[in-house]
Amino acid sequence: ALAEQFAVPLSTALSQSQIAVATQSGNVGDGLNILTQAMRLSQATGTDLAATNNLVTTSLQAFHLRGEDAGRVTNVLFQAAQRSRVPLDAMQNAIGRVSQTAVHLGLSFEQLTALFLTISQQGGKPAEAFSLLNQVFVKLLNPTEQLQNFLNDLGTPTAQLALQTFGLAGFLDKLNQAASQTPERLGDIAGSARTLRGLLALTGDQTQAFEENLRSITRTSSELINAQQRVAGTPGQQLKA
């Protein structure tokens, strides 16, 4: 039924369903929900089903989410695709690499995606955007003396506590306040040119861009459903079915 509904070859639907169910420790219901959402995302964006299924399962596993959260994940990915030129299949490996440090910092899937969007919208390849994010995350988890002093001055001796206390946008604002004191302050906190690049891509005017991206990608899932239904109604898709 799913294969017919989303105009996918039965053999493809079966193979992808096995992958989705396997990631849920054999829970068929959760696995089929993942597959349904991956099919919807695939049809709405024109992305290969294997890529969307892999991206959804990778994101769920990386952020310790359940199969029932698949709709939430696909909605975020759809909104991200609408707001960048980055193909969804280009995000798969990058999310897997950077998600571990993001989770250690207590960041959500939505926050990571919004951060990625904020950097990628400034130009550059997806891998480079995620690499800059990972550089910043690693530095926050292993602070330099200057960064540690900054965290101590905030009354939060770890970056995890700072993010929990002020929120991500609030923490970025604290960095903005520090940078406004002297031009060199942000560079001292960063400790390296590459980390500074990452921080500059998220502070200043870009903090507001991040907040807007975060609001945008957490909008209602009806936009994804409507987009998928529009594609499904085209003559080409109806012929496939």
Side-chain angles (χ1 to χ4, degrees):
L2 282 178
E4 183 178 350
Q5 179 184 351
F6 292 101
V8 174
L10 181 58
S11 59
T12 301
L14 288 173
S15 64
Q16 293 303 313
S17 68
Q18 291 173 345
I19 293 172
V21 170
T23 65
Q24 298 302 298
S25 302
N27 186 312
V28 176
D30 281 349
L32 289 180
N33 183 50
I34 292 171
L35 180 64
T36 301
Q37 301 301 334
M39 284 180 165
R40 178 169 286 122
L41 182 63
S42 170
Q43 193 171 53
T45 60
T47 307
D48 181 71
L49 174 58
T52 58
N53 196 35
N54 206 338
L55 181 55
V56 173
T57 54
T58 296
S59 301
L60 288 170
Q61 290 177 314
F63 284 86
H64 310 299
L65 301 174
R66 303 172 56 134
E68 63 191 36
D69 296 312
R72 163 188 162 190
V73 168
T74 52
N75 179 58
V76 169
L77 291 170
F78 174 74
Q79 298 292 350
Q82 303 309 295
R83 286 159 179 77
S84 76
R85 299 178 180 179
V86 179
L88 284 176
D89 51 7
M91 295 176 63
Q92 177 186 317
N93 291 332
I95 283 181
R97 287 196 300 269
V98 77
S99 60
Q100 185 175 3
T101 49
V103 169
H104 283 167
L105 284 168
L107 299 180
S108 68
F109 176 67
E110 288 84 352
Q111 288 173 322
L112 174 60
T113 305
L115 288 170
F116 162 73
L117 273 178
T118 304
I119 294 181
S120 65
Q121 287 165 348
Q122 299 169 50
K125 297 180 179 180
E128 175 65 9
F130 277 114
S131 178
L132 283 175
L133 280 175
N134 199 49
Q135 178 76 22
V136 171
F137 294 166
V138 169
K139 188 68 69 174
L140 289 173
L141 290 167
N142 302 280
T144 60
E145 182 179 354
Q146 290 289 339
L147 176 53
Q148 186 61 63
N149 290 338
F150 170 71
L151 292 170
N152 291 340
D153 289 343
L154 294 179
T156 53
T158 67
Q160 293 98 317
L161 184 57
L163 290 167
Q164 182 180 349
T165 302
F166 303 109
L168 180 50
F171 180 68
L172 292 175
D173 280 336
K174 294 295 183 184
L175 287 170
N176 286 328
Q177 292 170 22
S180 67
Q181 296 172 4
T182 61
E184 299 82 13
R185 178 65 169 146
L186 196 60
D188 292 339
I189 292 171
S192 72
R194 188 160 179 77
T195 304
L196 178 59
R197 257 187 81 194
L199 290 179
L200 287 172
L202 297 171
T203 52
D205 293 339
Q206 298 308 321
T207 299
Q208 185 175 349
F210 159 74
E211 293 180 280
E212 174 55 32
N213 281 325
L214 185 59
R215 285 192 294 269
S216 297
I217 64 175
T218 52
R219 287 175 182 161
T220 173
S221 60
S222 62
E223 291 186 26
L224 169 56
I225 294 172
N226 291 339
Q228 177 264 316
Q229 290 176 342
R230 283 196 299 272
V231 174
T234 61
Q237 291 293 313
Q238 291 177 345
L239 284 174
K240 286 182 182 181

